Amino acid sequence: MFLQQPVPSFMQNLLPCVLLHLSLLPNTSSPLLPFPLISVPISPWRLSLPLHTTRIPCLWSTCTHQKYFLLSVFKDDIALMKDMKLNHYRFSISWPRILPTGLKSEKINEKGIKYYSDLINMLLDNKITPIVTLYHWDLPQVLHEKYGGWHNISMVNYFNDFANLCFERFGNRVKYWITFNNPWSIAVEGYETGEHAPGLKLKGTGAYKAAHHIIKAHANVWHTYDMQWRSKQKGLVGISLTADWGEPVDISNQRDIEAAERYIQFYLGWFATPLFHGDYPQVMKDYIGRKSGQQGLGASRLPVFSPQEKSYIKGTCDFLGLGHFTTRYVTLKNYPSGAGDNYFSDRDLAELVDPQWPDPGSEWLYSVPWGFRRLLNFVKTQYGNPMIYVTENGVSEKMLCTDLCDDWRMKYFKDYINEMLKAIKDGVNVKGYTAWSLLDSFEWDEGFSERFGLYYVDFRNKNKPRYPKASVHYYKRIISSNGFPNQREVESWKRKAVETCSSSNQLLAADPLIGHMEMVTEIVVPTVCTLCILISAVFFMFLLRRRL
């Protein structure tokens, strides 16, 4: 295991001018952040349309049996962003909200177009730059039912039509485009393990085939923008890949070193290497090809790019979006062929965690800040030091109480941002940072049980009120100082944040009563009235029968 080095004093000064802030003042006494883009994101399930717009089913609404509902009253949320002095915001456009059938040739939902257009305009009116993700896992349900979703090559053209429509309608105001958010989860958890929508368990082939089409779709959209829109709109098109860092269990053991390398290549390299170098990582081709041969298959389960496709795909990233949350220790573990061949066994490795690592929320998320710096340096070395925008980084809490005093989140951000700043000092070309996330929200297969937001959202209340967690006040104070204050000052405003937190908790304590009254008014009373009417009708029929 690597020993962690103490944080240099100049890095400590750099830290606080990072998060959620762009307008770095030149007259501050602290060193300034060397890039201009800081934001917070939200996905299409977090940013649903008003109820008067058409409800169109997508994979997640079908898989979870949930309807889209208004989680984000965007006027109020933009006011929160403005109060925090944010000037960039990442959100996703829902494909089925724009094209209900998924096809541009069939129907365009102009109400959906107007909603996103109004959102973009309001962001710009408040001097907040929109960063738009085109696909955050919400495939139109009809495309899955008719074509099999990302298992069908036709998705490449359908997605390109959707993206082209977005460029046409919004591109005069949007300059940062992300094609896919975390395609690893789309492929592995959607088509291999079945944990995510569409819930398919096509072990050994499902993830590889879906990823192959996603990579082609990304490249196609990049070329469409490059040929039709770039000269007019002057924007950038990238992709957001999520990856944990893999650290060898024994850094003196060559087999563990190679296993850790495979872990990263099967995770990040699976998508990044084709986009930067034109083909899959050699280690993936070798391992999957060998195991496919041992199965008696005539060809590798990993699809192959033609020479023309390699040339077409290579270089289709204006920037690399990078989501990162945690780290794993990795060691060699041989999986014999035939013993459940799948993406995970193809890698021949085992993942381990240190029980001493903090784990405040999600069962998979441990706070291991030093892995962030190593991952960023890996990207620099492997892909020619591309522009990197950190698109997701944050920590959850998983608890029943309404704990707004999220000291662990403040520590997580401080430690991870500090490691990012070290990577910048190493020469890594980091251009921006995005904290996950502004609001508590729908966390996919975990539903609403995990909370990543800086603002607490009371989902029991029909109005979904927001309450600032202590981390909000922490960052607002950092932004106002535009540098890292001394420890005495930190403690003074931290106490104020805790007081605010306690005050908000008192408000929250009353919310269950409010929610209870709303339930009585909106559910119990109508139900009782309906039962009374039914009982009266039955009694009336009984009387009629007796008279007859």
Side-chain angles (χ1 to χ4, degrees):
M1 302 180 183
F2 288 115
L3 295 176
Q4 298 183 47
Q5 298 179 351
V7 179
S9 59
F10 71 89
M11 286 299 181
Q12 301 230 2
N13 287 332
L14 273 172
L15 164 65
C17 50
V18 185
L19 189 66
L20 312 177
H21 187 42
L22 286 171
S23 304
L24 300 171
L25 303 177
N27 60 352
T28 178
S29 59
S30 301
L32 298 181
L33 187 71
F35 56 73
L37 175 59
I38 306 295
S39 68
V40 289
I42 207 161
S43 74
W45 272 75
R46 282 82 167 178
L47 189 64
S48 297
L49 297 186
L51 297 178
H52 67 264
T53 62
T54 309
R55 283 177 176 164
I56 304 300
C58 74
L59 284 185
W60 276 93
S61 61
T62 300
C63 187
T64 62
H65 307 291
Q66 295 258 2
K67 294 179 180 179
Y68 272 93
F69 46 86
L70 186 61
L71 284 185
S72 180
V73 184
F74 71 76
K75 293 181 181 180
D76 295 338
D77 290 338
I78 290 174
L80 298 181
M81 300 176 213
K82 190 172 182 180
D83 181 61
M84 294 179 72
K85 294 183 171 54
L86 299 179
N87 56 14
H88 283 76
Y89 183 60
R90 184 168 79 92
F91 67 92
S92 303
I93 291 177
S94 172
W95 186 350
R97 291 293 187 177
I98 300 297
L99 300 175
T101 66
L103 305 181
K104 183 180 177 181
S105 59
E106 292 186 0
K107 182 182 179 181
I108 298 175
N109 180 14
E110 293 296 339
K111 288 183 178 179
I113 294 282
K114 183 179 185 303
Y115 174 82
Y116 287 114
S117 187
D118 290 346
L119 170 61
I120 291 167
N121 288 340
M122 184 164 287
L123 287 169
L124 292 173
D125 289 345
N126 285 276
K127 296 181 172 53
I128 300 171
T129 300
I131 306 168
V132 175
T133 301
L134 292 167
Y135 190 86
H136 200 142
W137 309 358
D138 55 336
L139 184 76
Q141 180 66 23
V142 66
L143 294 185
H144 172 68
E145 293 174 352
K146 290 179 67 174
Y147 303 103
W150 289 107
H151 254 216
N152 193 312
I153 189 64
S154 63
M155 293 303 105
V156 174
N157 288 330
Y158 294 149
F159 181 66
N160 187 68
D161 289 343
F162 162 64
N164 199 26
L165 177 63
C166 291
F167 297 151
E168 176 188 340
R169 298 298 189 93
F170 312 125
N172 62 327
R173 291 158 290 163
V174 175
K175 306 306 174 186
Y176 295 93
W177 295 97
I178 294 170
T179 54
F180 291 90
N181 185 81
N182 192 5
W184 184 93
S185 283
I186 301 169
V188 174
E189 296 175 315
Y191 293 86
E192 174 91 18
T193 68
E195 297 171 87
H196 284 187
L200 301 180
K201 298 180 180 180
L202 307 172
K203 295 187 182 298
T205 59
Y208 298 135
K209 191 173 183 180
H212 200 65
H213 295 153
I214 288 170
I215 292 167
K216 289 183 178 182
H218 163 85
N220 201 17
V221 168
W222 187 92
H223 281 286
T224 294
Y225 189 85
D226 195 53
M227 291 185 293
Q228 298 184 29
W229 302 104
R230 189 184 301 276
S231 62
K232 307 171 189 175
Q233 298 177 355
K234 312 295 184 184
L236 299 174
V237 177
I239 192 170
S240 178
L241 305 180
T242 299
D244 301 339
W245 175 247
E247 184 76 3
V249 167
D250 182 354
I251 61 172
S252 65
N253 186 318
Q254 185 60 30
R255 294 190 301 177
D256 280 1
I257 293 172
E258 292 172 357
E261 171 79 10
R262 283 198 304 280
Y263 178 81
I264 299 297
Q265 294 293 357
F266 268 76
Y267 207 152
L268 178 68
W270 184 7
F271 297 91
T273 306
L275 301 183
F276 286 97
H277 300 308
D279 201 1
Y280 292 118
Q282 189 62 44
V283 68
M284 288 190 72
K285 295 193 290 184
D286 291 345
Y287 268 67
I288 301 169
R290 174 172 55 80
K291 296 207 170 197
S292 299
Q294 292 171 352
Q295 288 180 268
L297 301 177
S300 175
R301 288 180 279 108
L302 182 69
V304 177
F305 292 117
S306 70
Q308 293 78 14
E309 288 172 336
K310 292 177 183 178
S311 177
Y312 187 76
I313 291 167
K314 182 179 179 180
T316 55
C317 251
D318 298 329
F319 63 88
L320 177 63
L322 188 64
H324 175 73
F325 294 88
T326 192
T327 285
R328 292 290 186 269
Y329 281 119
V330 181
T331 188
L332 172 70
K333 180 178 181 180
N334 288 313
Y335 288 87
S337 180
D341 294 289
N342 56 63
Y343 163 82
F344 296 99
S345 62
D346 283 341
R347 304 177 304 168
D348 275 351
L349 58 86
E351 303 174 37
L352 306 170
V353 298
D354 186 333
Q356 295 183 352
W357 288 344
D359 58 336
S362 305
E363 62 182 4
W364 54 270
L365 205 170
Y366 295 81
S367 180
V368 194
W370 49 262
F372 194 18
R373 179 184 185 183
R374 296 177 188 184
L375 179 64
L376 290 167
N377 273 282
F378 175 88
V379 171
K380 172 191 172 187
T381 302
Q382 289 281 314
Y383 309 119
N385 203 17
M387 286 195 300
I388 297 173
Y389 291 88
V390 178
T391 45
E392 291 183 9
N393 179 241
V395 67
S396 63
E397 67 261 23
K398 193 169 187 176
M399 52 189 69
L400 296 176
C401 64
T402 55
D403 188 354
L404 305 184
C405 304
D406 52 349
D407 187 64
W408 65 90
R409 181 170 288 110
M410 292 184 276
K411 178 171 174 51
Y412 179 96
F413 282 131
K414 177 178 179 179
D415 292 344
Y416 270 76
I417 292 170
N418 207 30
E419 292 298 318
M420 179 184 69
L421 292 168
K422 293 182 192 178
I424 293 171
K425 186 67 175 178
D426 296 337
V428 179
N429 192 17
V430 178
K431 294 294 185 182
Y433 176 88
T434 304
W436 183 267
S437 63
L438 178 66
L439 307 172
D440 288 335
S441 51
F442 180 80
E443 291 298 335
W444 312 109
D445 54 321
E446 296 294 336
F448 299 103
S449 65
E450 295 182 358
R451 296 176 175 270
F452 279 82
L454 298 175
Y455 280 89
Y456 177 94
V457 179
D458 182 7
F459 297 110
R460 299 164 301 180
N461 188 315
K462 67 175 183 178
N463 295 320
K464 308 295 184 291
R466 290 89 159 98
Y467 298 92
K469 300 177 187 178
S471 53
V472 170
H473 301 282
Y474 176 86
Y475 294 127
K476 285 175 65 175
R477 182 63 182 85
I478 288 174
I479 289 169
S480 66
S481 70
N482 203 32
F484 199 56
N486 62 54
Q487 191 59 35
R488 184 171 57 186
E489 187 181 9
V490 170
E491 291 301 324
S492 69
W493 54 255
K494 186 176 175 182
R495 283 195 297 271
K496 293 179 181 177
V498 171
E499 290 170 5
T500 304
C501 168
S502 300
S503 173
S504 296
N505 263 327
Q506 291 174 9
L507 286 172
L508 280 169
D511 275 354
L513 297 176
I514 297 171
H516 178 72
M517 294 305 295
E518 288 176 347
M519 183 183 72
V520 170
T521 304
E522 298 178 8
I523 299 175
V524 176
V525 172
T527 301
V528 171
C529 291
T530 302
L531 286 173
C532 290
I533 292 170
L534 288 172
I535 292 170
S536 299
V538 171
F539 183 70
F540 182 69
M541 291 177 64
F542 176 75
L543 290 176
L544 284 176
R545 289 185 64 180
R546 290 196 62 178
R547 285 174 176 264
L548 295 173

